[in-house]
Amino acid sequence: MYGTQTIGKDGHLYIGGIDTVRLAEEFGTPLYVYDTALMKQKIRSFKEAFSKHTALSWQIAYASKAFSTLAMIQLAGDFGLSLDVVSGGELYTALKAGFPAERIHFHGNNKSKDELAMALDAKIGAVIVDNFSELNVLDQMCAERGQNMEILLRITPGVEAHTHEFIMTGHDDTKFGFNLDNGMAERAVLLALRSEHLALKGLHCHIGSQIFETEGFVRAIRAIFSHMNVWTRKMNFHMKVLNVGGGFGIKYTGSDHPLPIGRFIDAIVDTIEDECARHSLSVPEVWIEPGRSIVGEAGTTLYTLGSSKDIPGIRKYIAVDGGMADNIRPALYQANYEAICANRANEPADQSVTIAGKCCETGDVLIKDALVPESFKSGDLLAVLCTGAYGYSMASHYNRLPNPAVVFVEDGEASIVVRRETYEDLIRHDVPLKTFSSRE
Ligand SMILES: *Cc1c(COP(=O)(O)O)cnc(C)c1O
């Protein structure tokens, strides 16, 4: 149970003071429900963690790839966040939501010229340059336009965070960023400093996702500073911004034990301040980029239960009216979730079942071993918890399933923020063949 989730006297799951059974009746299923109070609380905890470091300047950029819709971007903007986008589509969404351009940062390893032109037209805050060809293209485009752009360079620091451990081998083999250890990063700094139109504000790194320890951040920061020390003296490069990325772990299931956000921020800031003191450098502005840790736990997907198949001695499958089309994470990376029977949340959940989706793939299983009440049956409502990140944003139309609706709930009010797609929407861009009258 997360945020404002409660179980009512009627045995129903409530979110934001609203009965999920009522939500399902009104908006249909599958339905993505977001607890906006919980998102705001997550944002506040990031801000509070930074506020303790009174001498520090900082920015929290919401990584919009986790969940990007007009309403979500508006919420992020209203709460003073900056914004990461990784494509023209995410940038377009941000601009249409009226997000202040100067707080938008553009990421990605293969930004097209059109996408870069969009970013230049909008005069966004920074482009995080990922590779030499981008550095070159952006420099040329700025020269042609007589326009300047602030940039960060994405550094691959040779530290890769893996859920519970980090590895120090094989880490340099990634499509992202300028590698630190083989001199690519140094060459990029040199080229960026020489550019007339690109203003090198600082460096960026992002070591992974669903991280449960501070050690990876500490190592990445130390690795960057071991070079910064040299670059400052050799190239007169002064880093005004250090962006350490996102990836702060969340509690998908009872076996996840995320650190309080303050622990991450303290470790990051303390390490940066320590390195700066050691090398006599001034402390840069610190940027972070949380995605899932803002929206993940706030999202719940409601499904209606349909058919079931009991294989004696093996397992019992229960199928829901969605699946991999609205949540690809279990099929894509064996992600685990927990679920509640939303219309009998007060009954003991002691039957172990497998929650399957309705797509034509054996791998379309949402939860391998979910605990549901004995009396669980067709027509019941299932709430899969913690689906707010990379669920809607990774949704597909596989099997021509229309994308579900998204509602925000808070203080007893529900607002629809994405309408459910219709069958008509599915064929909207299809172009039928002309009749084959002349065919033999
Ligand atoms: C995906 C990504 C993030 C956000 O990761 P979360 O695990 O959602 O916090 C931040 N920065 C970059 C560069 C990313 O690619």
Side-chain angles (χ1 to χ4, degrees):
M1 302 274 279
Y2 301 89
T4 66
Q5 290 177 339
T6 54
I7 295 166
K9 285 204 198 77
D10 51 7
H12 295 182
L13 173 68
Y14 284 67
I15 310 175
I18 305 187
D19 185 351
T20 53
V21 174
R22 218 197 81 207
L23 288 173
E25 280 165 8
E26 186 171 346
F27 301 105
T29 58
L31 181 69
Y32 298 106
V33 181
Y34 281 82
D35 176 354
T36 45
L38 182 54
M39 296 198 274
K40 293 171 192 173
Q41 185 195 314
K42 298 284 179 187
I43 295 170
R44 264 195 305 275
S45 58
F46 276 107
K47 287 183 174 176
E48 280 165 15
F50 272 118
S51 303
K52 286 200 304 176
H53 301 271
T54 46
L56 190 81
S57 299
W58 43 271
Q59 274 189 47
I60 301 161
Y62 168 56
S64 70
K65 72 178 195 224
F67 172 56
S68 168
T69 71
L70 293 177
M72 183 61 214
I73 306 296
Q74 285 172 313
L75 188 149
D78 288 350
F79 280 75
L81 299 183
S82 298
L83 197 73
D84 276 6
V85 299
V86 298
S87 69
E90 285 184 6
L91 176 56
Y92 180 84
T93 307
L95 295 172
K96 283 287 177 186
F99 199 92
E102 66 277 9
R103 298 207 315 258
I104 299 177
H105 313 147
F106 195 4
H107 279 271
N109 70 308
N110 187 23
K111 305 173 190 82
S112 71
K113 275 193 167 183
D114 285 347
E115 288 174 323
L116 289 171
M118 243 174 112
L120 287 167
D121 286 343
K123 299 192 166 57
I124 66 162
V127 173
I128 288 76
V129 174
D130 194 276
N131 50 65
F132 289 111
S133 43
E134 183 186 344
L135 193 59
N136 188 33
V137 167
L138 185 62
D139 186 39
Q140 270 182 20
M141 289 177 72
C142 284
E144 280 161 20
R145 291 162 162 255
Q147 190 179 346
N148 294 340
M149 179 50 81
E150 302 211 311
I151 64 165
L152 265 56
L153 296 174
R154 178 164 183 165
I155 304 295
T156 304
V159 176
E160 195 181 319
H162 275 259
T163 321
H164 284 90
E165 87 276 10
F166 54 90
I167 52 164
M168 294 292 292
T169 54
H171 48 269
D172 286 324
D173 183 5
T174 155
K175 69 173 181 174
F176 293 111
F178 299 98
N179 293 30
L180 199 55
D181 292 339
N182 63 7
M184 286 172 98
E186 177 161 328
R187 202 149 58 85
V189 170
L190 191 65
L191 287 173
L193 287 173
R194 278 196 199 141
S195 163
E196 260 179 61
H197 298 278
L198 304 179
L200 178 59
K201 243 175 125 73
L203 304 176
H204 165 274
C205 67
H206 171 72
I207 56 170
S209 274
Q210 191 59 352
I211 299 168
F212 286 105
E213 57 188 8
T214 58
E215 189 59 24
F217 288 100
V218 170
R219 290 205 178 218
I221 292 163
R222 293 213 192 279
I224 286 175
F225 273 98
S226 72
H227 292 259
M228 259 319 293
N229 182 34
V230 180
W231 297 342
T232 302
R233 295 178 216 299
K234 201 159 102 182
M235 298 189 258
N236 199 27
F237 168 44
H238 297 277
M239 177 165 62
K240 290 192 203 72
V241 169
L242 179 57
N243 184 337
V244 298
F248 310 103
I250 64 171
K251 191 182 180 70
Y252 283 101
T253 71
S255 51
D256 292 330
H257 303 288
L259 290 176
I261 282 308
R263 287 276 302 283
F264 282 112
I265 303 304
D266 289 348
I268 288 165
V269 175
D270 292 348
T271 309
I272 292 173
E273 288 180 343
D274 179 55
E275 288 289 320
C276 287
R278 221 150 60 83
H279 300 298
S280 310
L281 302 170
S282 43
V283 177
E285 188 169 312
V286 177
W287 293 6
I288 58 164
E289 308 175 314
R292 87 184 61 229
S293 49
I294 290 177
V295 295
E297 294 178 4
T300 303
T301 312
L302 300 178
Y303 299 98
T304 302
L305 186 68
S307 67
S308 60
K309 175 185 177 183
D310 198 350
I311 314 170
I314 299 184
R315 66 174 63 245
K316 182 171 180 182
Y317 285 95
I318 301 187
V320 294
D321 54 353
M324 65 191 293
D326 59 77
N327 186 356
I328 190 72
R329 294 186 71 257
L332 194 60
Y333 17 69
Q334 287 87 51
N336 294 313
Y337 289 93
E338 284 172 358
I340 298 178
C341 181
N343 58 321
R344 334 158 170 257
N346 53 350
E347 292 179 24
D350 40 23
Q351 181 188 190
S352 178
V353 298
T354 291
I355 307 294
K358 66 178 275 138
C359 289
C360 292
E361 294 284 331
T362 303
D364 182 23
V365 164
L366 285 177
I367 305 177
K368 257 242 171 81
D369 297 295
L371 289 170
V372 295
E374 257 341 301
S375 60
F376 202 47
K377 62 178 191 311
S378 181
D380 277 338
L381 193 63
L382 186 79
V384 177
L385 310 182
C386 201
T387 58
Y390 307 102
Y392 172 80
S393 71
M394 286 188 169
S396 75
H397 291 122
Y398 185 50
N399 291 174
R400 290 244 139 171
L401 298 183
N403 284 347
V406 183
V407 291
F408 279 8
V409 294
E410 187 166 346
D411 286 339
E413 284 202 34
S415 351
I416 190 112
V417 298
V418 180
R419 278 193 295 272
R420 182 176 303 282
E421 284 182 335
T422 62
Y423 292 137
E424 180 59 27
D425 289 330
L426 291 174
I427 59 162
R428 193 170 299 277
H429 301 287
D430 288 12
V431 180
L433 292 174
K434 305 269 185 300
T435 40
F436 282 19
S437 51
S438 63
R439 210 159 53 166
E440 296 284 299

